[in-house]
PDB file of all heavy atoms in Angstrom:
ATOM      1  N   GLY V 186     -11.339  -1.512  -7.877  1.00 92.00           N
ATOM      2  CA  GLY V 186     -12.329  -0.640  -8.542  1.00 92.00           C
ATOM      3  C   GLY V 186     -11.587   0.350  -9.447  1.00 92.00           C
ATOM      4  O   GLY V 186     -10.356   0.275  -9.638  1.00 92.00           O
ATOM      5  N   GLU V 187     -12.367   1.255  -9.951  1.00 94.00           N
ATOM      6  CA  GLU V 187     -11.905   2.281 -10.880  1.00 94.00           C
ATOM      7  C   GLU V 187     -10.884   3.232 -10.235  1.00 94.00           C
ATOM      8  O   GLU V 187     -11.153   3.801  -9.252  1.00 94.00           O
ATOM      9  CB  GLU V 187     -13.047   3.102 -11.394  1.00 94.00           C
ATOM     10  CG  GLU V 187     -12.709   4.081 -12.619  1.00 94.00           C
ATOM     11  CD  GLU V 187     -12.363   3.203 -13.852  1.00 94.00           C
ATOM     12  OE1 GLU V 187     -12.885   2.029 -13.992  1.00 94.00           O
ATOM     13  OE2 GLU V 187     -11.678   3.754 -14.762  1.00 94.00           O
ATOM     14  N   PRO V 188      -9.725   3.369 -10.801  1.00 96.00           N
ATOM     15  CA  PRO V 188      -8.757   4.306 -10.323  1.00 96.00           C
ATOM     16  C   PRO V 188      -9.170   5.733 -10.386  1.00 96.00           C
ATOM     17  O   PRO V 188     -10.017   6.078 -11.222  1.00 96.00           O
ATOM     18  CB  PRO V 188      -7.396   4.177 -11.228  1.00 96.00           C
ATOM     19  CG  PRO V 188      -7.723   2.801 -11.882  1.00 96.00           C
ATOM     20  CD  PRO V 188      -9.110   2.558 -12.012  1.00 96.00           C
ATOM     21  N   GLY V 189      -8.805   6.484  -9.326  1.00 94.00           N
ATOM     22  CA  GLY V 189      -9.163   7.892  -9.309  1.00 94.00           C
ATOM     23  C   GLY V 189      -9.188   8.433  -7.920  1.00 94.00           C
ATOM     24  O   GLY V 189      -8.797   7.768  -6.894  1.00 94.00           O
ATOM     25  N   PRO V 190      -9.622   9.682  -7.777  1.00 91.00           N
ATOM     26  CA  PRO V 190      -9.680  10.250  -6.366  1.00 91.00           C
ATOM     27  C   PRO V 190     -10.747   9.697  -5.458  1.00 91.00           C
ATOM     28  O   PRO V 190     -11.854   9.288  -5.875  1.00 91.00           O
ATOM     29  CB  PRO V 190      -9.971  11.745  -6.742  1.00 91.00           C
ATOM     30  CG  PRO V 190     -10.769  11.762  -8.073  1.00 91.00           C
ATOM     31  CD  PRO V 190     -10.178  10.564  -8.805  1.00 91.00           C
ATOM     32  N   ILE V 191     -10.409   9.700  -4.283  1.00 88.00           N
ATOM     33  CA  ILE V 191     -11.185   9.213  -3.164  1.00 88.00           C
ATOM     34  C   ILE V 191     -11.276  10.394  -2.111  1.00 88.00           C
ATOM     35  O   ILE V 191     -10.197  10.921  -1.688  1.00 88.00           O
ATOM     36  CB  ILE V 191     -10.766   7.984  -2.443  1.00 88.00           C
ATOM     37  CG1 ILE V 191     -10.504   6.865  -3.504  1.00 88.00           C
ATOM     38  CG2 ILE V 191     -11.773   7.511  -1.406  1.00 88.00           C
ATOM     39  CD1 ILE V 191      -9.715   5.806  -2.888  1.00 88.00           C
ATOM     40  N   HIS V 192     -12.438  10.795  -1.743  1.00 71.00           N
ATOM     41  CA  HIS V 192     -12.517  11.993  -0.860  1.00 71.00           C
ATOM     42  C   HIS V 192     -12.631  11.328   0.635  1.00 71.00           C
ATOM     43  O   HIS V 192     -13.604  10.732   0.921  1.00 71.00           O
ATOM     44  CB  HIS V 192     -13.671  12.863  -1.079  1.00 71.00           C
ATOM     45  CG  HIS V 192     -13.408  13.594  -2.513  1.00 71.00           C
ATOM     46  ND1 HIS V 192     -12.518  14.617  -2.604  1.00 71.00           N
ATOM     47  CD2 HIS V 192     -13.941  13.336  -3.665  1.00 71.00           C
ATOM     48  CE1 HIS V 192     -12.545  14.970  -3.833  1.00 71.00           C
ATOM     49  NE2 HIS V 192     -13.422  14.185  -4.608  1.00 71.00           N
ATOM     50  N   ALA V 193     -11.623  11.591   1.424  1.00 65.00           N
ATOM     51  CA  ALA V 193     -11.513  10.986   2.745  1.00 65.00           C
ATOM     52  C   ALA V 193     -12.095  11.948   3.755  1.00 65.00           C
ATOM     53  O   ALA V 193     -12.401  13.167   3.583  1.00 65.00           O
ATOM     54  CB  ALA V 193     -10.146  10.601   3.109  1.00 65.00           C
ATOM     55  N   SER V 194     -12.317  11.374   4.935  1.00 62.00           N
ATOM     56  CA  SER V 194     -12.898  12.201   6.071  1.00 62.00           C
ATOM     57  C   SER V 194     -11.963  13.461   6.484  1.00 62.00           C
ATOM     58  O   SER V 194     -12.500  14.254   7.020  1.00 62.00           O
ATOM     59  CB  SER V 194     -13.171  11.310   7.187  1.00 62.00           C
ATOM     60  OG  SER V 194     -11.987  10.649   7.708  1.00 62.00           O
ATOM     61  N   THR V 195     -10.730  13.229   6.128  1.00 64.00           N
ATOM     62  CA  THR V 195      -9.854  14.366   6.509  1.00 64.00           C
ATOM     63  C   THR V 195      -9.904  15.514   5.760  1.00 64.00           C
ATOM     64  O   THR V 195      -9.363  16.569   6.078  1.00 64.00           O
ATOM     65  CB  THR V 195      -8.392  13.877   6.544  1.00 64.00           C
ATOM     66  OG1 THR V 195      -8.118  13.457   5.122  1.00 64.00           O
ATOM     67  CG2 THR V 195      -8.058  12.669   7.439  1.00 64.00           C
ATOM     68  N   GLY V 196     -10.648  15.515   4.570  1.00 64.00           N
ATOM     69  CA  GLY V 196     -10.725  16.565   3.591  1.00 64.00           C
ATOM     70  C   GLY V 196      -9.615  16.400   2.649  1.00 64.00           C
ATOM     71  O   GLY V 196      -9.622  17.261   1.599  1.00 64.00           O
ATOM     72  N   LEU V 197      -8.645  15.503   2.786  1.00 79.00           N
ATOM     73  CA  LEU V 197      -7.651  15.285   1.747  1.00 79.00           C
ATOM     74  C   LEU V 197      -8.120  14.505   0.618  1.00 79.00           C
ATOM     75  O   LEU V 197      -9.130  13.671   0.898  1.00 79.00           O
ATOM     76  CB  LEU V 197      -6.370  14.566   2.376  1.00 79.00           C
ATOM     77  CG  LEU V 197      -5.410  15.389   3.227  1.00 79.00           C
ATOM     78  CD1 LEU V 197      -4.429  14.467   3.833  1.00 79.00           C
ATOM     79  CD2 LEU V 197      -4.718  16.439   2.275  1.00 79.00           C
ATOM     80  N   THR V 198      -7.616  14.598  -0.379  1.00 83.00           N
ATOM     81  CA  THR V 198      -7.973  13.630  -1.526  1.00 83.00           C
ATOM     82  C   THR V 198      -7.016  12.497  -1.468  1.00 83.00           C
ATOM     83  O   THR V 198      -5.723  12.696  -1.515  1.00 83.00           O
ATOM     84  CB  THR V 198      -7.762  14.321  -2.940  1.00 83.00           C
ATOM     85  OG1 THR V 198      -8.693  15.401  -3.043  1.00 83.00           O
ATOM     86  CG2 THR V 198      -8.134  13.289  -4.031  1.00 83.00           C
TER      87      THR V 198
END
Side-chain angles (χ1 to χ4, degrees):
E187 190 69 22
I191 308 167
H192 296 288
S194 59
T195 61
L197 280 175
T198 300

